Amino acid sequence: MAVASDISPALKPYAALVEFLGVILGDKCEVLLHDCSDFNRSIVAVANSHISGRSLGGPATDLVLRLWRTKRYEHRDYYANYSSFSSDGREFRSSTFFVRDAQGTVIALLCINQDDGPVVEAKALLEQFLSSFHTDDEQATNQSEQQPSDTQADTHAADNISATAPQLPRSSTSENLSISVDELTTNRIHALALAGHLDLTRLSKEERLDFIKQLDDEGIFLLKGSIEKTASALGLSQPSIYRYLRCARDNSINNDNSTNRHH
């Protein structure tokens, strides 16, 4: 268990809660407290940090930035049981609770990342073990029941196409547990470029504007150094990125005003 020496007095009681949850949930469960006043170094308390490898002073996640930028926290108290991914690609089951002050303002995030890998492996081993107790007659009956008719086969095939179709694992309700601000910024830039099949050094003006708007919508520009990273990735100067960002935000404001007038 680790707590930042400069943790806000308002968050100290929640640091004790982090330690408590870390003990009762066990060493396969990471518990963190994020201070919303600085997303560059938001981790102010952590228990069982070996799960994701993050530490005190680490940044917020990409999901946290998206939630903050879109203000989705205004309408919910928590998000539960979504997927998160460590820097080395391991998947966890995660939940986030929004900590509010007496005025209802979100001041911190209490996050839990559960490593279910050992449980899943144990379940598979148990099922394999129990299957060895079936008699030959039972196995023959089970195999017969599992043979689908032609109609069922067509239906199952259609279901399987949907189930096995490529899915983007890092959706708007999943997150990446980045170790540093640089890693978080770089990963999101590359992920958006990959999703849009974009060559970032060959974008048109309109494509650059749209790309920077996407980064802004994800909250990337809440982080220090993000302008410099984006400029480097796009082969532009930092003043150019600021101009595109102002334009993207002005367009968003104009679109919002237009929508409000129609309503």
Side-chain angles (χ1 to χ4, degrees):
M1 168 67 186
V3 181
S5 59
D6 59 348
I7 187 172
S8 164
L11 298 184
K12 281 187 178 181
Y14 298 100
L17 180 59
V18 168
E19 181 175 15
F20 171 69
L21 291 174
V23 171
I24 66 171
L25 295 177
D27 63 2
K28 296 299 181 183
C29 187
E30 178 183 61
V31 186
L32 307 98
L33 184 66
H34 288 271
D35 186 340
C36 293
S37 67
D38 184 358
F39 290 128
N40 296 280
R41 48 189 305 275
S42 64
I43 299 177
V44 293
V46 56
N48 300 327
S49 61
H50 60 277
I51 297 295
S52 70
R54 291 178 298 164
S55 58
L56 293 180
T61 66
D62 53 355
L63 175 62
V64 169
L65 295 178
R66 287 197 296 273
L67 293 176
W68 199 261
R69 187 72 179 89
T70 57
K71 298 185 178 181
R72 274 186 273 175
Y73 57 84
E74 292 182 349
H75 310 291
R76 304 189 62 152
D77 290 324
Y78 62 87
Y79 279 88
N81 297 322
Y82 56 84
S83 293
S84 64
F85 300 85
S86 65
S87 295
D88 59 7
R90 288 173 296 131
E91 183 173 0
F92 307 121
R93 177 166 52 87
S94 299
S95 300
T96 293
F97 180 82
F98 302 119
V99 178
R100 303 175 190 272
D101 62 15
Q103 289 70 45
T105 302
V106 175
I107 58 173
L109 306 171
L110 181 64
C111 302
I112 296 177
N113 302 309
Q114 179 74 44
D115 182 3
D116 291 331
V119 176
V120 173
E121 292 174 4
K123 179 176 179 290
L125 287 173
L126 180 60
E127 290 176 344
Q128 183 179 14
F129 174 73
L130 292 176
S131 68
S132 65
F133 287 92
H134 289 303
T135 65
D136 291 340
D137 289 341
E138 288 175 331
Q139 290 177 353
T141 300
N142 289 338
Q143 290 174 358
S144 175
E145 291 175 348
Q146 290 170 4
Q147 293 298 323
S149 64
D150 291 342
T151 302
Q152 290 174 323
D154 291 341
T155 302
H156 291 166
D159 290 341
N160 288 336
I161 289 174
S162 175
T164 60
Q167 302 289 327
L168 288 175
R170 295 162 175 80
S171 67
S172 60
T173 52
S174 67
E175 67 182 334
N176 296 292
L177 309 178
S178 300
I179 300 296
S180 67
V181 169
D182 283 350
E183 180 185 280
L184 172 56
T185 305
T186 300
N187 285 351
R188 293 315 301 156
I189 290 173
H190 290 168
L192 286 177
L194 184 62
H197 306 287
L198 302 173
D199 180 348
L200 295 183
T201 61
R202 296 173 178 266
L203 300 182
S204 67
K205 182 177 180 180
E206 290 74 17
E207 288 172 329
R208 288 172 183 164
L209 183 63
D210 182 63
F211 186 76
I212 289 173
K213 182 183 183 305
Q214 290 183 63
L215 289 175
D216 191 34
D217 289 344
E218 292 210 356
I220 290 301
F221 296 118
L222 294 171
L223 301 174
K224 294 178 181 177
S226 55
I227 293 292
E228 180 182 358
K229 286 283 184 184
T230 305
S232 177
L234 271 62
L236 299 173
S237 66
Q238 293 185 46
S240 293
I241 299 299
Y242 279 114
R243 285 194 293 271
Y244 276 109
L245 182 56
R246 282 196 299 270
C247 185
R249 290 178 175 175
D250 287 343
N251 288 346
S252 294
I253 292 173
N254 291 336
N255 290 337
D256 289 343
N257 290 338
S258 177
T259 301
N260 291 336
R261 282 197 299 269
H262 283 93
H263 286 299

